[in-house]
Amino acid sequence: MNERIEISSIIMKRTLGLTLVLGAASFAFAQQKVNVSGKIVDQQNQAVPYASVTFGNKANKQLSDATLTDEKGSYEIALVPGNYDVTIEAIGYKKMTNNRQISNAGNLGSFKVEAESSGPLTKTQDIQGVTIVATTKPVKVEIDKKTYDVKSDLTAIGGNLQDVLQNVPSVSVDPDGTVSMRGSSNVKFLVNGKPSALLGLDDGANALQSIPADQIDRIEVITNPSAKFEASGTAGILNIILKKTTKMGFNGSVVGTLGYLPRTSLNTNLSWKKGNLTWFLNGGGGYTESKGKNWTNTRFTNPDSDGNIAKYQISESKNISRNYNATAGLVYDINNKTSMNVSGTIRTSDGENHQPLNYTYFPATGATYYGLRSSDGNSSNTGIQGDFGFDRKLDDKGQNISLSLSLQRNQSQGNSLISQSTKDVFELSNITDQNTLNKSIVGKIDYELPIGENSMFNAGYKIDNNNNDYQYAVQQKNAGDLDYHFLPRYTNTTNYSEVVNAVYAQFKSKIGDFGYQLGLRDEYSNINIDYKNQTGFDDKVTKKNYNGIFPSVFLSYNFAKDNQLLLNYSRRINRPRSWFLVPFMSYSDNQNIFSGNSDLNPSYVDSFELGYNFSKKKFSFNPVIYFRNETDDVKMTLSYVNDPYLNKYVFLTQPQNLGIDQRIGFDLNYTYDPFSWWRIMGEFDVYRYKTTGDYFYDSPDPQNPANMITSHVSYDGTGTSTRIRMSNTFKFSKTFSVQLMGNYRGAQVEGANNSKEMYFVNLGATKTIWKGDGTIAFNIQDIFDTRSRNVIQTGNGFTRESFMQWSPRQFSLSLTYRFKQGEKVDQPKRKKDINSNDQGGEDQGPPM
């Protein structure tokens, strides 16, 4: 009996073992991969290089895989036999998905992809964001924004954000770095959809030059933002979207630039994407020398307090700056529904400047005499930013929730040694020290709920907490003094804190060819300013609290394919910049003083736009009629006042809430491809403006300077102004292109301020080398050396004309090298989450 049991046991074990072996063999056979190949072509059967080809296994996602086509549009991949959805994505072409049954090794033939509706200029290769030949329209128009493709701008290669913005639709950049949209400078900057202390500095061109052009993917121009965006920035929002990897495997590029005035930079972009993990590292540095020229010519109706009837000053400054930047981060897909991202950025800069101010005085009686105020200074800036994001898909129907947190810290320091003399006799010396520390915390949560096939509901909350500490000190040593002493009024400390809480809700839908989007945003602002200086008399604590309701309405109607009418409205707020509210007074030029104004209130604007979008293969245009009405408009006033602490009269520039600013205009953006080798892109903006405002201040009587009178300056003005921008891109071969860009801004008179016209021309050229792995770029900024600002200001008893040229003509030569253009990986390319950070809370508008 026991023997039978033992025999039975042996038979069962051997049978089970044989079953497992056969099962394993069967499983191994079932998992055996077969090699398949194919080719991706366009509608003209031309190869599409570097296209992403993803094979999604319908039965088991773990068996999915992906690859890239080579420069001939071909691919090869090993797959387990089964049923696959084949998804093809390529820049400049519509996404396409086909289903294929993979049974045996072999060639799947050619998949045809269709060009985007905007229509390409010609076939191209786009590698790591550097354009070899222009592919699609540079400007994409959507229901609530325009998107500018930076890769199409040949004149900005090797440059920085300031160079890029010169070509962006509806945007103008002054020589000192002031950015305006349709004539208004109240522009809000975002980086990847979030405010950034690294770019939110009130530092003009220096802030814009901190981001290399090679790290920018695109710029979203939002002239009438929806409720999903923060309400600040009455002129609109510029959302700077930095590059992110979209290719599998390891990718990278290095860009080196040499230029004149001496200008060198080296930047690299590295990324690695495999399976659930993506990491990236961008960084570099640069050295720049620049020269600036400024002059001011002032004429008095009667002699001033020093007996002069005119005064002329000129400065030709020299500046040296060194900047370094590094950004690292990773994105991890925890599963198909959950992902997280974390990144860190550091930017540092330091520099030296030499600025001599030469004065020429013209007295009412006596000979002309001269003066000199020479300044030598040093400056440094360090900014650090950390970002964390969490995205969760709540179901398979598109319901999503997104959380983000940004911690930012920025510190800038500067000091100057100033020497002043008159008639070649030493008069005084100053030492100035400035230290600014900014800390910010920005947190937000966004929720997205699809309703049916054509509707979407969005809601969210955001908190923006800013804390700024300003320290400014001025010491002076007069002729005959043994040591320096502090100037009490100009030595001060300020703490500025601002907290903005916001909630919004938005609904968008489509009924036939009619689309609409309705939104409402509420923002509550809490501002505290604690100012102290050494006089003991000017100390001031200011508290401001205000709540604002900001509606937005967007409507669209499709007449036919690529033929769309757009109508929208939004209400916005312009909160005064922190240093506009801080009453400290600058002292680099003791005859021209700038002071903040803690009594400033926010401005509000109601903005309307009616636009039309028409696009065909060779031609597209987007005309827009717009109207803006801004109340409590902030203007820079200029007055000639007595400074009791300096015991002399000075020109004081100070922001004031004055009247209204109305603009009605016509803005036309267009592209035209006359031939396959020639593309024209342009913008024409003409607007009628009306400004009102009256400014009163105490000043010396021109007839009797010993007496004080109340002076009145009117900022009422009406007129018409224009902005014209045009670029021509010529493709001389598949690897060589040249771009010529011209920019013109018309004159504008606003009562006491008369801004003269400004124009300049840039040139850029690119040549692809090393079979697409390299690009040489050459550009000239401001070919004719005409980019400058000229303003005439009038006041009670004086007229002053000012000229500024931030930098003269510049040349640069850049070399880009790209390597590892996407290696094959073992996991499919995942679908981009709609709440990812580079979306920046943007709205795509209702389905059109």
Side-chain angles (χ1 to χ4, degrees):
M1 185 69 177
N2 292 335
E3 185 177 352
R4 288 180 180 178
I5 295 174
E6 184 177 349
I7 293 174
S8 298
S9 176
I10 292 173
I11 292 174
M12 291 178 64
K13 288 180 180 179
R14 290 182 177 179
T15 301
L16 179 61
L18 180 61
T19 301
L20 291 174
V21 170
L22 291 175
S26 177
F27 182 77
F29 177 78
Q31 299 296 307
Q32 184 177 359
K33 295 184 176 182
V34 296
N35 290 322
V36 296
S37 60
K39 190 172 183 178
I40 309 301
V41 298
D42 60 17
Q43 299 298 310
Q44 287 75 42
N45 289 318
Q46 298 295 316
V48 178
Y50 308 109
S52 170
V53 187
T54 301
F55 289 82
N57 191 292
K58 303 199 71 173
N60 185 350
K61 292 184 178 181
Q62 297 302 316
L63 302 180
S64 301
D65 207 343
T67 187
L68 292 173
T69 61
D70 59 20
E71 65 274 5
K72 297 180 180 180
S74 300
Y75 68 89
E76 185 175 350
I77 191 171
L79 298 170
V80 174
N83 188 265
Y84 289 84
D85 282 332
V86 185
T87 302
I88 301 165
E89 296 179 88
I91 296 177
Y93 296 89
K94 294 180 179 179
K95 180 179 178 180
M96 188 197 76
T97 300
N98 275 322
N99 183 268
R100 288 294 177 95
Q101 180 69 38
I102 308 295
S103 301
N104 303 303
N107 192 298
L108 299 180
S110 297
F111 290 99
K112 282 191 175 183
V113 292
E114 182 182 352
E116 290 182 343
S117 59
S118 56
L121 175 65
T122 185
K123 178 177 71 71
T124 188
Q125 295 176 344
D126 186 317
I127 308 173
Q128 279 296 302
V130 178
T131 298
I132 296 172
V133 179
T135 306
T136 59
K137 294 286 192 291
V139 180
K140 180 181 179 182
V141 179
E142 299 179 57
I143 190 172
D144 55 0
K145 65 175 178 287
K146 297 184 185 77
T147 301
Y148 178 72
D149 183 5
V150 175
K151 297 185 293 294
S152 65
D153 188 355
L154 306 187
T155 64
I157 295 177
N160 50 55
L161 176 58
Q162 183 175 359
D163 300 321
V164 173
L165 289 175
Q166 294 177 16
N167 279 349
V168 176
S170 304
V171 176
S172 299
V173 184
D174 281 346
D176 62 351
T178 300
V179 178
S180 59
M181 295 172 66
R182 292 176 176 167
S184 175
S185 62
N186 298 322
V187 179
K188 178 68 175 180
F189 277 95
L190 302 177
V191 177
N192 290 338
K194 297 184 291 290
S196 175
L198 306 183
L199 194 58
L201 307 175
D202 298 302
D203 196 18
N206 291 334
L208 298 180
Q209 293 170 6
S210 67
I211 298 182
D214 311 297
Q215 295 181 8
I216 304 171
D217 180 60
R218 62 190 188 276
I219 296 178
E220 295 176 349
V221 182
I222 311 169
T223 54
N224 225 9
S226 69
K228 196 171 184 180
F229 288 96
E230 59 183 283
S232 59
T234 53
I237 292 174
L238 290 177
N239 190 16
I240 314 301
I241 305 297
L242 303 181
K243 290 179 180 177
K244 288 181 62 178
T245 180
T246 58
K247 296 183 178 181
M248 297 292 186
F250 177 73
N251 298 274
S253 66
V254 177
V255 183
T257 302
L258 294 174
Y260 177 84
L261 298 170
R263 178 180 182 181
T264 62
S265 66
L266 183 65
N267 292 282
T268 184
N269 302 297
L270 305 175
S271 64
W272 184 79
K273 183 180 181 71
K274 187 172 184 179
N276 295 347
L277 181 65
T278 301
W279 66 259
F280 59 89
L281 174 64
N282 304 324
Y287 171 89
T288 303
E289 291 186 18
S290 62
K291 296 179 181 179
K293 183 178 181 180
N294 302 270
W295 57 258
T296 300
N297 188 11
T298 307
R299 295 184 177 276
F300 299 96
T301 305
N302 292 286
D304 68 357
S305 57
D306 294 323
N308 296 311
I309 58 171
K311 179 169 59 176
Y312 178 78
Q313 70 179 62
I314 185 171
S315 171
E316 295 187 1
S317 61
K318 296 181 179 180
N319 303 280
I320 296 175
S321 65
R322 294 167 288 269
N323 63 84
Y324 313 92
N325 69 90
T327 300
L330 60 86
V331 180
Y332 179 66
D333 296 330
I334 301 171
N335 52 46
N336 288 334
K337 293 186 176 181
T338 308
S339 66
M340 61 171 288
N341 61 79
V342 62
S343 64
T345 299
I346 180 170
R347 288 196 177 97
T348 67
S349 65
D350 63 82
E352 299 91 43
N353 64 81
H354 173 65
Q355 184 177 10
L357 278 172
N358 291 280
Y359 295 95
T360 303
Y361 300 96
F362 301 90
T365 58
T368 300
Y369 63 98
Y370 304 92
L372 172 65
R373 183 174 172 86
S374 182
S375 172
D376 291 280
N378 298 277
S379 62
S380 64
N381 182 279
T382 300
I384 302 174
Q385 180 171 327
D387 295 291
F388 172 80
F390 178 84
D391 302 307
R392 173 69 177 174
K393 297 181 180 180
L394 302 179
D395 55 29
D396 294 328
K397 298 180 180 180
Q399 186 178 192
N400 298 278
I401 191 168
S402 174
L403 307 173
S404 68
L405 178 67
S406 181
L407 306 177
Q408 305 169 17
R409 185 181 190 275
N410 194 90
Q411 185 167 20
S412 62
Q413 296 175 311
N415 60 77
S416 297
L417 177 61
I418 304 169
S419 178
Q420 180 174 314
S421 60
T422 302
K423 298 180 180 179
D424 293 327
V425 177
F426 173 78
E427 199 171 358
L428 58 87
S429 177
N430 291 121
I431 297 175
T432 66
D433 290 284
Q434 169 265 328
N435 190 346
T436 301
L437 177 63
N438 169 267
K439 297 179 181 178
S440 300
I441 300 175
V442 181
K444 68 174 184 174
I445 177 171
D446 294 290
Y447 172 72
E448 189 170 48
L449 174 66
I451 303 174
E453 292 294 327
N454 296 322
S455 302
M456 178 76 72
F457 173 77
N458 299 85
Y461 165 78
K462 178 182 178 182
I463 182 171
D464 194 342
N465 188 330
N466 295 281
N467 194 289
N468 299 345
D469 288 314
Y470 299 93
Q471 296 180 357
Y472 194 73
V474 179
Q475 300 179 64
Q476 181 164 304
K477 182 172 69 173
N478 298 313
D481 290 348
L482 297 178
D483 207 350
Y484 286 90
H485 62 274
F486 286 99
L487 297 183
R489 192 181 190 188
Y490 296 92
T491 301
N492 51 70
T493 61
T494 307
N495 175 260
Y496 174 93
S497 63
E498 176 188 68
V499 180
V500 180
N501 286 276
V503 293
Y504 76 90
Q506 184 169 278
F507 179 77
K508 56 186 176 182
S509 187
K510 181 183 179 185
I511 303 173
D513 292 324
F514 174 71
Y516 64 93
Q517 177 176 288
L518 308 175
L520 188 66
R521 187 179 187 93
D522 181 87
E523 291 190 353
Y524 179 76
S525 305
N526 189 327
I527 298 173
N528 292 284
I529 306 168
D530 187 358
Y531 170 81
K532 294 181 174 64
N533 67 21
Q534 289 191 351
T535 66
F537 302 107
D538 297 331
D539 295 357
K540 188 174 184 180
V541 176
T542 304
K543 296 181 181 293
K544 293 179 176 288
N545 299 282
Y546 43 86
N547 189 75
I549 303 294
F550 305 97
S552 64
V553 179
F554 291 82
L555 307 174
S556 67
Y557 183 77
N558 288 350
F559 295 102
K561 183 180 179 181
D562 303 322
N563 199 330
Q564 188 180 50
L565 185 69
L566 305 168
L567 176 66
N568 56 65
Y569 161 78
S570 72
R571 179 172 170 80
R572 309 285 297 164
I573 185 175
N574 177 36
R575 297 182 185 87
R577 302 174 184 178
S578 59
W579 65 283
F580 275 17
L581 288 167
V582 174
F584 84 92
M585 309 176 81
S586 66
Y587 202 74
S588 58
D589 179 359
N590 61 358
Q591 297 189 34
N592 297 276
I593 306 295
F594 172 85
S595 174
N597 178 8
S598 59
D599 294 324
L600 272 185
N601 291 315
S603 304
Y604 294 90
V605 65
D606 292 284
S607 180
F608 301 83
E609 290 186 2
L610 174 63
Y612 177 71
N613 185 33
F614 177 84
S615 180
K616 291 298 180 182
K617 184 175 181 180
K618 288 191 173 184
F619 180 69
S620 69
F621 69 97
N622 171 225
V624 176
I625 298 173
Y626 61 89
F627 173 74
R628 299 175 65 254
N629 182 58
E630 185 169 358
T631 58
D632 279 335
D633 180 41
V634 175
K635 292 183 173 61
M636 285 294 176
T637 62
L638 178 67
S639 54
Y640 190 57
V641 298
N642 180 44
D643 187 324
Y645 294 94
L646 297 179
N647 195 28
K648 67 177 183 178
Y649 281 88
V650 298
F651 284 101
L652 176 66
T653 300
Q654 190 175 45
Q656 301 281 351
N657 291 110
L658 296 177
I660 64 170
D661 185 338
Q662 291 182 345
R663 297 169 191 262
I664 182 168
F666 175 77
D667 187 3
L668 172 65
N669 289 275
Y670 61 90
T671 60
Y672 176 49
D673 303 336
F675 306 99
S676 61
W677 50 268
W678 182 13
R679 160 165 293 166
I680 301 172
M681 183 181 77
E683 178 187 10
F684 175 76
D685 179 21
V686 56
Y687 58 91
R688 182 75 178 172
Y689 60 87
K690 177 184 177 181
T691 62
T692 65
D694 294 287
Y695 179 53
F696 298 90
Y697 66 96
D698 291 333
S699 67
D701 186 348
Q703 304 300 326
N704 185 2
N707 296 331
M708 299 298 295
I709 62 172
T710 299
S711 295
H712 166 242
V713 178
S714 173
Y715 286 85
D716 293 352
T718 58
T720 302
S721 188
T722 56
R723 292 184 306 108
I724 302 173
R725 178 190 289 112
M726 177 181 287
S727 69
N728 287 267
T729 303
F730 304 96
K731 182 179 72 69
F732 292 100
S733 70
K734 292 183 178 180
T735 61
F736 179 56
S737 296
V738 174
Q739 186 178 85
L740 187 68
M741 188 275 289
N743 198 314
Y744 171 84
R745 186 172 67 188
Q748 183 166 319
V749 179
E750 296 180 353
N753 294 333
N754 181 358
S755 299
K756 299 297 184 178
E757 63 183 10
M758 180 181 74
Y759 60 93
F760 59 91
V761 178
N762 297 336
L763 173 70
T766 62
K767 170 66 176 176
T768 303
I769 57 176
W770 301 329
K771 297 181 179 180
D773 289 335
T775 300
I776 297 175
F778 172 77
N779 67 61
I780 306 177
Q781 298 287 326
D782 194 9
I783 295 176
F784 302 108
D785 204 23
T786 56
R787 189 165 181 254
S788 59
R789 184 174 65 185
N790 191 209
V791 180
I792 298 177
Q793 298 171 290
T794 58
N796 187 35
F798 70 87
T799 299
R800 187 171 79 163
E801 182 177 4
S802 301
F803 172 89
M804 168 184 283
Q805 184 181 44
W806 184 263
S807 183
R809 179 191 305 112
Q810 295 187 18
F811 307 82
S812 69
L813 182 67
S814 301
L815 174 64
T816 301
Y817 176 70
R818 297 171 288 274
F819 49 90
K820 288 282 186 180
Q821 298 301 313
E823 59 187 24
K824 189 173 79 67
V825 297
D826 298 327
Q827 295 293 333
K829 180 179 177 181
R830 292 184 179 271
K831 182 179 178 181
K832 180 180 177 183
D833 192 285
I834 61 175
N835 286 322
S836 61
N837 277 343
D838 80 321
Q839 297 263 348
E842 68 187 283
D843 300 310
Q844 299 300 326
M848 292 296 124

